[in-house]
Amino acid sequence: MEDQGMKISILASGSTGNATYIETPKSKVLVDAGLSGKKIEELMNSIGRTLKDVDSLLVTHEHSDHIKGVGVLARRYGMNIYANQGTWDAMSAKIGKVPLEQKYIFDMGKTLSIGDVDIESFGVSHDAAEPQFYELHHGKSSFAIVTDTGYVPDSVAGVINNAEAYLFECNHDTEMLRMGPYSWSLKQRIMSDAGHLSNDDGAAALMDVLGNNTKKIFLGHLSQENNVKALAHVTVEDIMKEHDLAVGHDFEICDTDPKQATPLIQL
């Protein structure tokens, strides 16, 4: 049978909930489950898939918009849950009982193979216990997920360099955040090195890592209060065009949504 490669869908991305689906011929994986089990199943169905087929769930960190459905999915569907020790310790009381045989430690900086997909983990700068994100590899395809970080250090840029696709954080427009209703302490937290990437920061970090292999860039984890989809998109696109990058020719910038899955695409 011909290898159909890696397929991906950003099921949900935003400050209210996050989940990403990746499949290869032998593996079906979720990264995060920050919505209810019912909502994630609805999103899976919308792309012609079901949670019954998912074998593994990778968790990035313990914030509720990334783990809300983890316990339910583990118990209802029997999927294996992977997270580092710090994240397990921080989220265990929040997700309820997970059968011991479904709990796996995935240490930061390590590579894990699940079926025919190899997954690299790397640490990020965020106000969580031990936050880490992932780059998934299958054959010549690679997909890197980087949200919930205040900045992208060289060590991370080196891991995710020249991926075929990215889900990359563009959390806020800095001026919208400064002028918005949040308390000053919360604004400071979001803008800090342990907070979230702005649209401009996301664009700058992306330009440091994209390469000749890069075909798709999904802009993710947009704040519903401090950003809008069109603004994030045009900001990143304009900055890249100013640096003579061939947006729309060499690669495509794609939007994500907190309530609607992106189409399942093949890399």
Side-chain angles (χ1 to χ4, degrees), residues 123-135:
V124 296
S125 179
H126 193 52
D127 57 349
E130 198 177 346
Q132 71 181 24
F133 280 80
Y134 306 101
E135 181 171 11

Side-chain angles (χ1 to χ4, degrees), residues 99-120:
L100 187 60
E101 64 271 17
Q102 292 170 231
K103 296 175 69 171
Y104 289 85
I105 303 295
F106 186 0
D107 289 327
M108 188 181 294
K110 301 295 185 181
T111 298
L112 172 73
S113 295
I114 300 175
D116 56 357
V117 61
D118 297 323
I119 305 158
E120 287 185 87

Side-chain angles (χ1 to χ4, degrees), residues 9-12 18-23 27-37 40-41 43-44 47 49-60 66 69-70 73-74 77 79-82 114 119 134 136 143 145:
S9 170
I10 317 305
L11 299 176
N18 298 272
T20 302
Y21 174 70
I22 304 100
E23 74 172 37
S27 299
K28 292 176 173 60
V29 178
L30 283 178
V31 176
D32 287 334
L35 306 92
S36 69
I40 296 174
E41 180 64 38
L43 293 166
M44 287 285 286
I47 61 167
R49 296 296 187 268
T50 173
L51 284 172
K52 294 176 183 176
D53 296 330
V54 176
D55 46 70
S56 304
L57 168 56
L58 307 168
V59 181
T60 60
H66 295 261
V70 170
L73 298 192
Y77 299 99
M79 60 184 71
N80 295 326
I81 313 299
Y82 295 83
I114 300 175
I119 305 158
Y134 306 101
L136 298 94
F143 173 44
I145 301 174

Side-chain angles (χ1 to χ4, degrees), residues 207 234-245 247:
M207 288 191 297
V234 74
T235 300
V236 173
E237 187 171 287
D238 285 352
I239 290 173
M240 289 183 167
K241 285 181 176 177
E242 287 171 8
H243 289 79
D244 297 324
L245 294 174
V247 181

Side-chain angles (χ1 to χ4, degrees), residues 30 85 111 115 129 169 171 176 182 184 238 251 257 261:
L30 283 178
Q85 188 64 61
T111 298
E169 178 165 66
N171 175 257
M176 282 184 70
Y182 285 2
W184 178 237
D238 285 352
F251 59 91
D257 193 271

Side-chain angles (χ1 to χ4, degrees), residues 79-96:
M79 60 184 71
N80 295 326
I81 313 299
Y82 295 83
N84 60 42
Q85 188 64 61
T87 298
W88 271 117
D89 291 345
M91 75 175 176
S92 289
K94 302 176 183 179
I95 64 174

